[in-house]
Amino acid sequence: MKALEQFYLAQEEPNRSIFLALRDCILSLDAEVSEEWKYKLPFFYYKGKMFCYLWKDKKTNKPYIGIVRGEAVVHPLLIQGNRKRMKIFPVNPNEDIPVKIIKEILIQVQSIYK
């Protein structure tokens, strides 16, 4: 089994389901979005360039989408924190995934690469 597949299977519920749903959401955005295992986490590329990644907060264990070019994206739900380039979009595992908002953010990020 590949490390990428192991990542998803190793997650406890509800994070496993959240990560798999986020994966599908990201990959369905565009045919040129691809997934790779990089930095020991699922990383997504758009046209061969780093796009976003999936991870979870160390303290709360809540999943999030990390936006690589986050500094160039303006959205009230993105959190910069102490990061210089990246911003994150936290996902509450106890609520429905806000697919529409995620797609809006990812389309903004996608426009940076066009």
Side-chain angles (χ1 to χ4, degrees):
M1 191 180 309
K2 295 179 180 180
L4 190 55
E5 293 167 347
Q6 286 179 346
F7 168 82
Y8 293 109
L9 294 175
Q11 303 305 311
E12 293 182 17
E13 289 294 350
N15 282 359
R16 179 185 307 151
S17 296
I18 298 288
F19 280 130
L20 289 169
L22 291 173
R23 175 184 185 262
D24 290 344
C25 180
I26 294 166
L27 290 173
S28 71
L29 184 69
D30 191 295
E32 295 197 64
V33 175
S34 61
E35 181 183 33
E36 293 183 26
W37 182 250
K38 188 167 182 101
Y39 306 120
K40 297 184 181 180
L41 51 102
F43 228 99
F44 298 86
Y45 288 77
Y46 177 66
K47 294 185 176 182
K49 296 182 181 178
M50 289 183 183
F51 186 58
C52 64
Y53 60 93
L54 298 176
W55 199 237
K56 57 188 174 183
D57 185 271
K58 290 177 186 175
K59 294 177 186 173
T60 66
N61 202 39
K62 290 184 178 179
Y64 66 82
I65 300 174
I67 308 296
V68 174
R69 296 284 311 271
E71 84 284 358
V73 180
V74 178
H75 194 281
L77 297 177
L78 287 177
I79 300 169
Q80 180 120 30
N82 295 328
R83 300 167 194 86
K84 292 183 181 181
R85 286 186 62 201
M86 311 277 186
K87 286 185 183 178
I88 66 166
F89 180 82
V91 178
N92 187 335
N94 301 313
E95 296 177 1
D96 289 340
I97 297 172
V99 174
K100 183 178 177 187
I101 294 170
I102 292 169
K103 294 248 182 185
E104 288 173 5
I105 292 169
L106 294 177
I107 288 168
Q108 281 189 51
V109 178
Q110 190 179 28
S111 68
I112 295 167
Y113 294 104
K114 289 187 176 182

